[in-house]
Amino acid sequence: MEKAIFVLNGPNLNLLGTREPEIYGTDTLADVEAACTALATSLGMKLVFRQSNSEGQLIDWLQEARDHGAGVLLNAGALTHTSLAIYDAIKAMTIPVIEVHLSNPLRREAFRHHSYVGMAATGTIAGFGLHSYVLGLEALAKKLSVKS
Ligand code: CA2
C-alpha cells in the first residue's frame, strides 16, 4: 500500500480563522486541509491530515508516521518552542519532516525565536499563511522523488 504524507497540527490550530487574522489570516484549518488534499491529489500523494491539542497525541502520530508514512508536514503550534519530547520524536525518524508555520515566528516575540522542531526537521517554511503548507507539500514531493 502507498505510504501517506502526514500533515500534523498542534495546539489551538483548530481555532484558526476565528481570531488574530492579522497574524494568521482568515483561512480555517478546514481550508488548509482542502488546499493540502487538492495538491496531494494532483501530485498523486496519499494524505493524512490531523490536529490535536495534546503533545502526547502528536508524538504518537509522529511515531505512526515513522513506521507507516512517507513524510511529515508538522505545525506543532506553540509546542514548537517548548517540546523536547517532539524534538526527540523527530530525531528518531528517517523520513523527511518539514516544519511549517502560518506566521513567521522570527518576526514575533523572542520566545518564538527558538524552535525544537526546527532543530530536528529537514527544513522549515514559515510566514506564508495557508501557502506555507502548500510550499511544504511541494518540498516534500520533491524530496521524495529524489532517489539517493
Ligand atoms: O505561525 C504558526 O503557524 C504557529 O505555529 C502558530 C502557533 C504559535 O504558537 C507559533 O508560534 C507559530 C499558534 C497556533 C494557534 O493559532 C491560532 C490561530 C487563530 C486563533 C487562535 C489560535
Side-chain angles (χ1 to χ4, degrees):
M1 202 178 69
E2 183 204 346
K3 290 186 169 183
I5 303 295
F6 282 61
V7 183
L8 302 179
N9 296 279
N12 298 309
L13 283 159
N14 54 313
L15 301 177
L16 201 59
T18 65
R19 64 173 175 85
E20 299 183 275
E22 66 288 355
I23 298 175
Y24 298 114
T26 53
D27 292 311
T28 65
L29 198 60
D31 294 329
V32 176
E33 178 171 8
C36 289
T37 301
L39 179 60
T41 302
S42 75
L43 293 172
M45 303 190 306
K46 194 174 154 194
L47 194 89
V48 169
F49 192 98
R50 296 177 183 162
Q51 186 275 333
S52 176
N53 291 328
S54 151
E55 182 177 20
Q57 179 62 263
L58 289 167
I59 291 165
D60 287 344
W61 287 340
L62 286 168
Q63 292 185 8
E64 183 185 338
R66 172 182 185 267
D67 294 336
H68 304 293
V72 175
L73 218 60
L74 175 62
N75 185 350
L79 291 171
T80 300
H81 316 297
T82 62
S83 178
L84 189 47
I86 289 180
Y87 169 87
D88 282 343
I90 299 169
K91 288 295 268 188
M93 299 170 76
T94 54
I95 60 173
V97 177
I98 311 287
E99 174 187 32
V100 291
H101 296 288
L102 297 149
S103 66
N104 178 359
L106 295 179
R107 286 189 67 174
R108 302 179 62 194
E109 304 95 326
F111 62 81
R112 296 186 202 275
H113 294 179
H114 177 265
S115 170
Y116 282 107
V117 171
M119 289 175 70
T122 308
T124 299
I125 296 169
F128 299 98
L130 176 154
H131 203 61
S132 291
Y133 286 71
V134 170
L135 292 169
L137 270 185
E138 286 173 347
L140 261 183
K142 186 87 181 161
K143 186 101 189 146
L144 293 170
S145 70
V146 177
K147 302 270 180 290
S148 55

